[in-house]
């Protein structure tokens, strides 16, 4: 699971050439997965109630996708490192 605040900060830093992001994400502050949607600089989170889909993913649409993906990936890696330190 991701920290919601850090995730939203990463999304706000998206390059303007990222037009759309959509996916299913787990956050540390909720027990259920959330559907994430981003269009034109605006984002929305809503409940995701489809038990048939257990994968967690984000799909980015636009140009310079590598930079956008790196922002999200960096946030995810930071969260994993924090969790590992807490487990020690």
């Amino acid at each position: 699971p991701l920290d919601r605040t850090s995730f939203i900060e990463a999304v706000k830093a998206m390059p303007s050439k990222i037009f759309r992001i959509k996916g299913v994400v787990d956050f540390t502050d909720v027990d259920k997965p959330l559907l994430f949607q981003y269009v034109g600089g605006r984002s929305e989170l809503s409940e995701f109630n489809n038990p048939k889909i257990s994968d967690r993913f984000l799909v980015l649409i636009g140009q310079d996708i590598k930079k956008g993906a790196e922002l999200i990936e960096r946030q995810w890696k930071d969260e994993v490192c924090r969790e590992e330190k807490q487990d020690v």
Side-chain angles (χ1 to χ4, degrees):
L2 300 173
D3 176 75
R4 187 190 304 228
T5 302
S6 298
F7 177 80
I8 297 301
E9 287 175 12
V11 168
K12 287 180 180 178
M14 281 291 136
S16 61
K17 294 180 179 181
I18 300 295
F19 308 123
R20 185 145 170 75
I21 305 171
K22 189 169 187 171
V24 179
V25 184
D26 286 322
F27 290 107
T28 55
D29 62 332
V30 291
D31 294 333
K32 293 183 177 184
L34 296 177
L35 176 64
F36 176 75
Q37 298 188 77
Y38 170 92
V39 178
R42 292 178 293 183
S43 62
E44 175 182 289
L45 288 163
S46 57
E47 279 192 38
F48 183 74
N49 295 315
N50 186 343
K52 293 181 182 178
I53 298 177
S54 60
D55 291 334
R56 302 299 177 251
F57 60 90
L58 288 171
V59 176
L60 284 73
I61 299 172
Q63 300 171 334
D64 199 11
I65 291 175
K66 183 176 180 180
K67 184 175 181 181
E70 287 171 352
L71 286 167
I72 298 294
E73 183 179 14
R74 189 175 319 125
Q75 195 275 324
W76 178 79
K77 285 181 180 179
D78 289 348
E79 189 65 32
V80 169
C81 288
R82 258 188 300 244
E83 287 178 8
E84 287 176 352
K85 286 180 184 178
Q86 289 175 355
D87 290 342
V88 173

